[in-house]
PDB file of all heavy atoms in Angstrom:
ATOM      1  N   ARG X  60       8.335  19.848   6.190  1.00 97.00           N
ATOM      2  CA  ARG X  60       8.144  20.374   4.837  1.00 97.00           C
ATOM      3  C   ARG X  60       6.958  19.698   4.131  1.00 97.00           C
ATOM      4  O   ARG X  60       6.412  20.235   3.177  1.00 97.00           O
ATOM      5  CB  ARG X  60       9.393  20.156   3.981  1.00 97.00           C
ATOM      6  CG  ARG X  60      10.650  20.772   4.493  1.00 97.00           C
ATOM      7  CD  ARG X  60      11.792  20.594   3.497  1.00 97.00           C
ATOM      8  NE  ARG X  60      12.160  19.193   3.280  1.00 97.00           N
ATOM      9  CZ  ARG X  60      11.858  18.503   2.193  1.00 97.00           C
ATOM     10  NH1 ARG X  60      11.171  19.058   1.195  1.00 97.00           N
ATOM     11  NH2 ARG X  60      12.252  17.235   2.080  1.00 97.00           N
ATOM     12  N   LEU X  61       6.601  18.506   4.609  1.00 98.00           N
ATOM     13  CA  LEU X  61       5.468  17.788   4.032  1.00 98.00           C
ATOM     14  C   LEU X  61       4.229  18.079   4.874  1.00 98.00           C
ATOM     15  O   LEU X  61       4.256  17.991   6.107  1.00 98.00           O
ATOM     16  CB  LEU X  61       5.719  16.277   4.001  1.00 98.00           C
ATOM     17  CG  LEU X  61       6.505  15.721   2.806  1.00 98.00           C
ATOM     18  CD1 LEU X  61       7.958  16.177   2.849  1.00 98.00           C
ATOM     19  CD2 LEU X  61       6.413  14.203   2.766  1.00 98.00           C
ATOM     20  N   SER X  62       3.148  18.432   4.183  1.00 98.00           N
ATOM     21  CA  SER X  62       1.887  18.688   4.859  1.00 98.00           C
ATOM     22  C   SER X  62       0.750  18.159   4.006  1.00 98.00           C
ATOM     23  O   SER X  62       0.911  17.913   2.808  1.00 98.00           O
ATOM     24  CB  SER X  62       1.708  20.186   5.139  1.00 98.00           C
ATOM     25  OG  SER X  62       1.692  20.914   3.927  1.00 98.00           O
ATOM     26  N   GLY X  63      -0.398  17.978   4.645  1.00 98.00           N
ATOM     27  CA  GLY X  63      -1.532  17.427   3.918  1.00 98.00           C
ATOM     28  C   GLY X  63      -2.817  18.145   4.270  1.00 98.00           C
ATOM     29  O   GLY X  63      -2.946  18.720   5.356  1.00 98.00           O
ATOM     30  N   SER X  64      -3.752  18.092   3.342  1.00 98.00           N
ATOM     31  CA  SER X  64      -5.075  18.653   3.574  1.00 98.00           C
ATOM     32  C   SER X  64      -6.089  17.818   2.809  1.00 98.00           C
ATOM     33  O   SER X  64      -5.741  17.064   1.892  1.00 98.00           O
ATOM     34  CB  SER X  64      -5.143  20.116   3.126  1.00 98.00           C
ATOM     35  OG  SER X  64      -4.939  20.215   1.728  1.00 98.00           O
ATOM     36  N   ASN X  65      -7.346  17.949   3.217  1.00 98.00           N
ATOM     37  CA  ASN X  65      -8.391  17.152   2.577  1.00 98.00           C
ATOM     38  C   ASN X  65      -9.730  17.834   2.777  1.00 98.00           C
ATOM     39  O   ASN X  65     -10.176  18.010   3.922  1.00 98.00           O
ATOM     40  CB  ASN X  65      -8.413  15.729   3.169  1.00 98.00           C
ATOM     41  CG  ASN X  65      -9.401  14.823   2.488  1.00 98.00           C
ATOM     42  OD1 ASN X  65      -9.832  15.090   1.370  1.00 98.00           O
ATOM     43  ND2 ASN X  65      -9.729  13.724   3.141  1.00 98.00           N
ATOM     44  N   SER X  66     -10.352  18.201   1.685  1.00 97.00           N
ATOM     45  CA  SER X  66     -11.648  18.879   1.772  1.00 97.00           C
ATOM     46  C   SER X  66     -12.403  18.691   0.465  1.00 97.00           C
ATOM     47  O   SER X  66     -11.802  18.661  -0.618  1.00 97.00           O
ATOM     48  CB  SER X  66     -11.449  20.377   2.050  1.00 97.00           C
ATOM     49  OG  SER X  66     -12.680  21.052   2.100  1.00 97.00           O
ATOM     50  N   GLY X  67     -13.709  18.549   0.585  1.00 97.00           N
ATOM     51  CA  GLY X  67     -14.526  18.420  -0.617  1.00 97.00           C
ATOM     52  C   GLY X  67     -14.162  17.178  -1.412  1.00 97.00           C
ATOM     53  O   GLY X  67     -14.193  16.067  -0.890  1.00 97.00           O
ATOM     54  N   ASN X  68     -13.808  17.390  -2.662  1.00 98.00           N
ATOM     55  CA  ASN X  68     -13.473  16.266  -3.539  1.00 98.00           C
ATOM     56  C   ASN X  68     -11.978  16.116  -3.790  1.00 98.00           C
ATOM     57  O   ASN X  68     -11.574  15.340  -4.668  1.00 98.00           O
ATOM     58  CB  ASN X  68     -14.180  16.437  -4.893  1.00 98.00           C
ATOM     59  CG  ASN X  68     -15.685  16.339  -4.776  1.00 98.00           C
ATOM     60  OD1 ASN X  68     -16.208  15.516  -4.033  1.00 98.00           O
ATOM     61  ND2 ASN X  68     -16.391  17.207  -5.494  1.00 98.00           N
ATOM     62  N   THR X  69     -11.159  16.833  -3.013  1.00 98.00           N
ATOM     63  CA  THR X  69      -9.717  16.797  -3.272  1.00 98.00           C
ATOM     64  C   THR X  69      -8.898  16.773  -1.987  1.00 98.00           C
ATOM     65  O   THR X  69      -9.088  17.595  -1.100  1.00 98.00           O
ATOM     66  CB  THR X  69      -9.291  18.024  -4.100  1.00 98.00           C
ATOM     67  OG1 THR X  69     -10.059  18.090  -5.303  1.00 98.00           O
ATOM     68  CG2 THR X  69      -7.812  17.920  -4.470  1.00 98.00           C
ATOM     69  N   ALA X  70      -7.973  15.819  -1.940  1.00 98.00           N
ATOM     70  CA  ALA X  70      -6.944  15.789  -0.904  1.00 98.00           C
ATOM     71  C   ALA X  70      -5.637  16.231  -1.560  1.00 98.00           C
ATOM     72  O   ALA X  70      -5.406  15.964  -2.745  1.00 98.00           O
ATOM     73  CB  ALA X  70      -6.801  14.392  -0.312  1.00 98.00           C
ATOM     74  N   THR X  71      -4.796  16.886  -0.781  1.00 98.00           N
ATOM     75  CA  THR X  71      -3.552  17.415  -1.332  1.00 98.00           C
ATOM     76  C   THR X  71      -2.383  17.130  -0.405  1.00 98.00           C
ATOM     77  O   THR X  71      -2.468  17.357   0.805  1.00 98.00           O
ATOM     78  CB  THR X  71      -3.652  18.937  -1.545  1.00 98.00           C
ATOM     79  OG1 THR X  71      -4.770  19.221  -2.405  1.00 98.00           O
ATOM     80  CG2 THR X  71      -2.391  19.484  -2.196  1.00 98.00           C
ATOM     81  N   LEU X  72      -1.301  16.651  -1.007  1.00 98.00           N
ATOM     82  CA  LEU X  72      -0.021  16.524  -0.317  1.00 98.00           C
ATOM     83  C   LEU X  72       0.852  17.668  -0.822  1.00 98.00           C
ATOM     84  O   LEU X  72       1.061  17.801  -2.033  1.00 98.00           O
ATOM     85  CB  LEU X  72       0.637  15.179  -0.623  1.00 98.00           C
ATOM     86  CG  LEU X  72       2.024  14.960  -0.017  1.00 98.00           C
ATOM     87  CD1 LEU X  72       1.919  14.812   1.503  1.00 98.00           C
ATOM     88  CD2 LEU X  72       2.687  13.722  -0.631  1.00 98.00           C
ATOM     89  N   THR X  73       1.337  18.478   0.103  1.00 98.00           N
ATOM     90  CA  THR X  73       2.156  19.623  -0.260  1.00 98.00           C
ATOM     91  C   THR X  73       3.565  19.421   0.278  1.00 98.00           C
ATOM     92  O   THR X  73       3.753  19.073   1.442  1.00 98.00           O
ATOM     93  CB  THR X  73       1.570  20.925   0.310  1.00 98.00           C
ATOM     94  OG1 THR X  73       0.230  21.093  -0.190  1.00 98.00           O
ATOM     95  CG2 THR X  73       2.411  22.121  -0.087  1.00 98.00           C
ATOM     96  N   ILE X  74       4.528  19.614  -0.598  1.00 98.00           N
ATOM     97  CA  ILE X  74       5.933  19.516  -0.216  1.00 98.00           C
ATOM     98  C   ILE X  74       6.558  20.874  -0.467  1.00 98.00           C
ATOM     99  O   ILE X  74       6.651  21.336  -1.612  1.00 98.00           O
ATOM    100  CB  ILE X  74       6.667  18.435  -1.026  1.00 98.00           C
ATOM    101  CG1 ILE X  74       5.912  17.096  -0.947  1.00 98.00           C
ATOM    102  CG2 ILE X  74       8.101  18.277  -0.530  1.00 98.00           C
ATOM    103  CD1 ILE X  74       6.479  16.006  -1.850  1.00 98.00           C
ATOM    104  N   SER X  75       6.959  21.538   0.610  1.00 97.00           N
ATOM    105  CA  SER X  75       7.567  22.855   0.476  1.00 97.00           C
ATOM    106  C   SER X  75       9.091  22.722   0.442  1.00 97.00           C
ATOM    107  O   SER X  75       9.654  21.708   0.872  1.00 97.00           O
ATOM    108  CB  SER X  75       7.130  23.759   1.626  1.00 97.00           C
ATOM    109  OG  SER X  75       7.522  23.206   2.851  1.00 97.00           O
ATOM    110  N   THR X  76       9.721  23.733  -0.091  1.00 97.00           N
ATOM    111  CA  THR X  76      11.186  23.759  -0.206  1.00 97.00           C
ATOM    112  C   THR X  76      11.678  22.397  -0.732  1.00 97.00           C
ATOM    113  O   THR X  76      12.488  21.708  -0.103  1.00 97.00           O
ATOM    114  CB  THR X  76      11.845  24.080   1.153  1.00 97.00           C
ATOM    115  OG1 THR X  76      11.112  25.090   1.840  1.00 97.00           O
ATOM    116  CG2 THR X  76      13.270  24.573   0.951  1.00 97.00           C
ATOM    117  N   VAL X  77      11.200  22.046  -1.911  1.00 97.00           N
ATOM    118  CA  VAL X  77      11.478  20.729  -2.489  1.00 97.00           C
ATOM    119  C   VAL X  77      12.975  20.507  -2.666  1.00 97.00           C
ATOM    120  O   VAL X  77      13.725  21.405  -3.088  1.00 97.00           O
ATOM    121  CB  VAL X  77      10.735  20.577  -3.831  1.00 97.00           C
ATOM    122  CG1 VAL X  77      11.250  19.381  -4.620  1.00 97.00           C
ATOM    123  CG2 VAL X  77       9.243  20.451  -3.598  1.00 97.00           C
ATOM    124  N   GLU X  78      13.377  19.286  -2.349  1.00 97.00           N
ATOM    125  CA  GLU X  78      14.780  18.879  -2.487  1.00 97.00           C
ATOM    126  C   GLU X  78      14.874  17.753  -3.517  1.00 97.00           C
ATOM    127  O   GLU X  78      13.887  17.080  -3.809  1.00 97.00           O
ATOM    128  CB  GLU X  78      15.308  18.385  -1.139  1.00 97.00           C
ATOM    129  CG  GLU X  78      15.185  19.375  -0.013  1.00 97.00           C
ATOM    130  CD  GLU X  78      15.546  18.767   1.335  1.00 97.00           C
ATOM    131  OE1 GLU X  78      15.780  17.534   1.405  1.00 97.00           O
ATOM    132  OE2 GLU X  78      15.595  19.531   2.329  1.00 97.00           O
ATOM    133  N   ALA X  79      16.066  17.530  -4.015  1.00 97.00           N
ATOM    134  CA  ALA X  79      16.271  16.454  -4.989  1.00 97.00           C
ATOM    135  C   ALA X  79      15.831  15.099  -4.428  1.00 97.00           C
ATOM    136  O   ALA X  79      15.312  14.249  -5.156  1.00 97.00           O
ATOM    137  CB  ALA X  79      17.734  16.411  -5.413  1.00 97.00           C
ATOM    138  N   GLY X  80      16.009  14.917  -3.144  1.00 97.00           N
ATOM    139  CA  GLY X  80      15.640  13.651  -2.494  1.00 97.00           C
ATOM    140  C   GLY X  80      14.149  13.399  -2.397  1.00 97.00           C
ATOM    141  O   GLY X  80      13.736  12.301  -2.035  1.00 97.00           O
ATOM    142  N   ASP X  81      13.343  14.402  -2.741  1.00 97.00           N
ATOM    143  CA  ASP X  81      11.888  14.220  -2.726  1.00 97.00           C
ATOM    144  C   ASP X  81      11.389  13.593  -4.024  1.00 97.00           C
ATOM    145  O   ASP X  81      10.208  13.228  -4.120  1.00 97.00           O
ATOM    146  CB  ASP X  81      11.182  15.570  -2.534  1.00 97.00           C
ATOM    147  CG  ASP X  81      11.484  16.217  -1.198  1.00 97.00           C
ATOM    148  OD1 ASP X  81      11.622  15.480  -0.199  1.00 97.00           O
ATOM    149  OD2 ASP X  81      11.605  17.460  -1.152  1.00 97.00           O
ATOM    150  N   GLU X  82      12.268  13.481  -4.999  1.00 98.00           N
ATOM    151  CA  GLU X  82      11.862  12.888  -6.277  1.00 98.00           C
ATOM    152  C   GLU X  82      11.475  11.430  -6.062  1.00 98.00           C
ATOM    153  O   GLU X  82      12.268  10.620  -5.578  1.00 98.00           O
ATOM    154  CB  GLU X  82      12.994  12.998  -7.297  1.00 98.00           C
ATOM    155  CG  GLU X  82      12.565  12.646  -8.710  1.00 98.00           C
ATOM    156  CD  GLU X  82      13.548  13.150  -9.753  1.00 98.00           C
ATOM    157  OE1 GLU X  82      13.483  14.342 -10.122  1.00 98.00           O
ATOM    158  OE2 GLU X  82      14.389  12.342 -10.196  1.00 98.00           O
ATOM    159  N   ALA X  83      10.235  11.114  -6.402  1.00 98.00           N
ATOM    160  CA  ALA X  83       9.676   9.788  -6.110  1.00 98.00           C
ATOM    161  C   ALA X  83       8.262   9.714  -6.686  1.00 98.00           C
ATOM    162  O   ALA X  83       7.735  10.700  -7.204  1.00 98.00           O
ATOM    163  CB  ALA X  83       9.614   9.549  -4.600  1.00 98.00           C
ATOM    164  N   ASP X  84       7.683   8.533  -6.577  1.00 98.00           N
ATOM    165  CA  ASP X  84       6.263   8.355  -6.864  1.00 98.00           C
ATOM    166  C   ASP X  84       5.489   8.514  -5.560  1.00 98.00           C
ATOM    167  O   ASP X  84       5.917   8.011  -4.520  1.00 98.00           O
ATOM    168  CB  ASP X  84       5.988   6.980  -7.462  1.00 98.00           C
ATOM    169  CG  ASP X  84       6.624   6.793  -8.825  1.00 98.00           C
ATOM    170  OD1 ASP X  84       6.689   7.778  -9.590  1.00 98.00           O
ATOM    171  OD2 ASP X  84       7.059   5.674  -9.139  1.00 98.00           O
ATOM    172  N   TYR X  85       4.361   9.180  -5.646  1.00 98.00           N
ATOM    173  CA  TYR X  85       3.525   9.400  -4.474  1.00 98.00           C
ATOM    174  C   TYR X  85       2.128   8.842  -4.736  1.00 98.00           C
ATOM    175  O   TYR X  85       1.545   9.059  -5.801  1.00 98.00           O
ATOM    176  CB  TYR X  85       3.438  10.893  -4.139  1.00 98.00           C
ATOM    177  CG  TYR X  85       4.752  11.453  -3.641  1.00 98.00           C
ATOM    178  CD1 TYR X  85       5.749  11.848  -4.528  1.00 98.00           C
ATOM    179  CD2 TYR X  85       5.006  11.557  -2.273  1.00 98.00           C
ATOM    180  CE1 TYR X  85       6.965  12.334  -4.075  1.00 98.00           C
ATOM    181  CE2 TYR X  85       6.209  12.050  -1.807  1.00 98.00           C
ATOM    182  CZ  TYR X  85       7.181  12.437  -2.714  1.00 98.00           C
ATOM    183  OH  TYR X  85       8.381  12.920  -2.243  1.00 98.00           O
ATOM    184  N   TYR X  86       1.603   8.114  -3.739  1.00 98.00           N
ATOM    185  CA  TYR X  86       0.293   7.481  -3.855  1.00 98.00           C
ATOM    186  C   TYR X  86      -0.608   7.907  -2.693  1.00 98.00           C
ATOM    187  O   TYR X  86      -0.172   7.925  -1.542  1.00 98.00           O
ATOM    188  CB  TYR X  86       0.419   5.956  -3.810  1.00 98.00           C
ATOM    189  CG  TYR X  86       1.193   5.355  -4.956  1.00 98.00           C
ATOM    190  CD1 TYR X  86       2.570   5.180  -4.870  1.00 98.00           C
ATOM    191  CD2 TYR X  86       0.549   4.953  -6.123  1.00 98.00           C
ATOM    192  CE1 TYR X  86       3.289   4.627  -5.920  1.00 98.00           C
ATOM    193  CE2 TYR X  86       1.259   4.397  -7.182  1.00 98.00           C
ATOM    194  CZ  TYR X  86       2.630   4.247  -7.063  1.00 98.00           C
ATOM    195  OH  TYR X  86       3.340   3.694  -8.116  1.00 98.00           O
ATOM    196  N   CYS X  87      -1.856   8.205  -3.004  1.00 98.00           N
ATOM    197  CA  CYS X  87      -2.839   8.416  -1.953  1.00 98.00           C
ATOM    198  C   CYS X  87      -3.640   7.128  -1.745  1.00 98.00           C
ATOM    199  O   CYS X  87      -3.656   6.245  -2.620  1.00 98.00           O
ATOM    200  CB  CYS X  87      -3.773   9.581  -2.274  1.00 98.00           C
ATOM    201  SG  CYS X  87      -4.698   9.456  -3.833  1.00 98.00           S
ATOM    202  N   GLN X  88      -4.282   7.035  -0.589  1.00 98.00           N
ATOM    203  CA  GLN X  88      -4.982   5.804  -0.208  1.00 98.00           C
ATOM    204  C   GLN X  88      -6.148   6.147   0.710  1.00 98.00           C
ATOM    205  O   GLN X  88      -6.029   7.015   1.583  1.00 98.00           O
ATOM    206  CB  GLN X  88      -4.021   4.872   0.533  1.00 98.00           C
ATOM    207  CG  GLN X  88      -4.636   3.566   1.008  1.00 98.00           C
ATOM    208  CD  GLN X  88      -3.790   2.912   2.107  1.00 98.00           C
ATOM    209  OE1 GLN X  88      -3.193   3.602   2.937  1.00 98.00           O
ATOM    210  NE2 GLN X  88      -3.733   1.591   2.108  1.00 98.00           N
ATOM    211  N   VAL X  89      -7.253   5.466   0.519  1.00 97.00           N
ATOM    212  CA  VAL X  89      -8.381   5.586   1.437  1.00 97.00           C
ATOM    213  C   VAL X  89      -8.962   4.207   1.693  1.00 97.00           C
ATOM    214  O   VAL X  89      -8.755   3.269   0.913  1.00 97.00           O
ATOM    215  CB  VAL X  89      -9.509   6.502   0.889  1.00 97.00           C
ATOM    216  CG1 VAL X  89      -8.991   7.905   0.618  1.00 97.00           C
ATOM    217  CG2 VAL X  89     -10.147   5.895  -0.357  1.00 97.00           C
ATOM    218  N   TRP X  90      -9.732   4.113   2.762  1.00 95.00           N
ATOM    219  CA  TRP X  90     -10.532   2.913   3.035  1.00 95.00           C
ATOM    220  C   TRP X  90     -11.941   3.198   2.535  1.00 95.00           C
ATOM    221  O   TRP X  90     -12.591   4.154   2.984  1.00 95.00           O
ATOM    222  CB  TRP X  90     -10.551   2.590   4.520  1.00 95.00           C
ATOM    223  CG  TRP X  90     -11.486   1.470   4.884  1.00 95.00           C
ATOM    224  CD1 TRP X  90     -12.703   1.555   5.520  1.00 95.00           C
ATOM    225  CD2 TRP X  90     -11.291   0.073   4.627  1.00 95.00           C
ATOM    226  NE1 TRP X  90     -13.254   0.314   5.658  1.00 95.00           N
ATOM    227  CE2 TRP X  90     -12.419  -0.621   5.131  1.00 95.00           C
ATOM    228  CE3 TRP X  90     -10.273  -0.673   4.021  1.00 95.00           C
ATOM    229  CZ2 TRP X  90     -12.545  -2.018   5.049  1.00 95.00           C
ATOM    230  CZ3 TRP X  90     -10.409  -2.053   3.953  1.00 95.00           C
ATOM    231  CH2 TRP X  90     -11.529  -2.705   4.463  1.00 95.00           C
ATOM    232  N   ASP X  91     -12.404   2.401   1.598  1.00 94.00           N
ATOM    233  CA  ASP X  91     -13.752   2.527   1.066  1.00 94.00           C
ATOM    234  C   ASP X  91     -14.677   1.652   1.895  1.00 94.00           C
ATOM    235  O   ASP X  91     -14.730   0.429   1.717  1.00 94.00           O
ATOM    236  CB  ASP X  91     -13.773   2.102  -0.403  1.00 94.00           C
ATOM    237  CG  ASP X  91     -15.169   2.179  -1.007  1.00 94.00           C
ATOM    238  OD1 ASP X  91     -16.072   2.755  -0.379  1.00 94.00           O
ATOM    239  OD2 ASP X  91     -15.353   1.654  -2.127  1.00 94.00           O
ATOM    240  N   SER X  92     -15.404   2.276   2.792  1.00 92.00           N
ATOM    241  CA  SER X  92     -16.238   1.510   3.718  1.00 92.00           C
ATOM    242  C   SER X  92     -17.448   0.882   3.026  1.00 92.00           C
ATOM    243  O   SER X  92     -18.036  -0.059   3.556  1.00 92.00           O
ATOM    244  CB  SER X  92     -16.698   2.403   4.872  1.00 92.00           C
ATOM    245  OG  SER X  92     -17.408   3.508   4.384  1.00 92.00           O
TER     246      SER X  92
END
Side-chain angles (χ1 to χ4, degrees):
Chain X
R60 301 185 296 106
L61 275 69
S62 61
S64 64
N65 184 19
S66 178
N68 294 320
T69 305
T71 303
L72 177 70
T73 302
I74 307 173
S75 60
T76 320
V77 166
E78 304 172 354
D81 296 324
E82 191 163 278
D84 295 325
Y85 291 83
Y86 296 90
C87 57
Q88 179 199 35
V89 301
W90 173 254
D91 179 12
S92 58

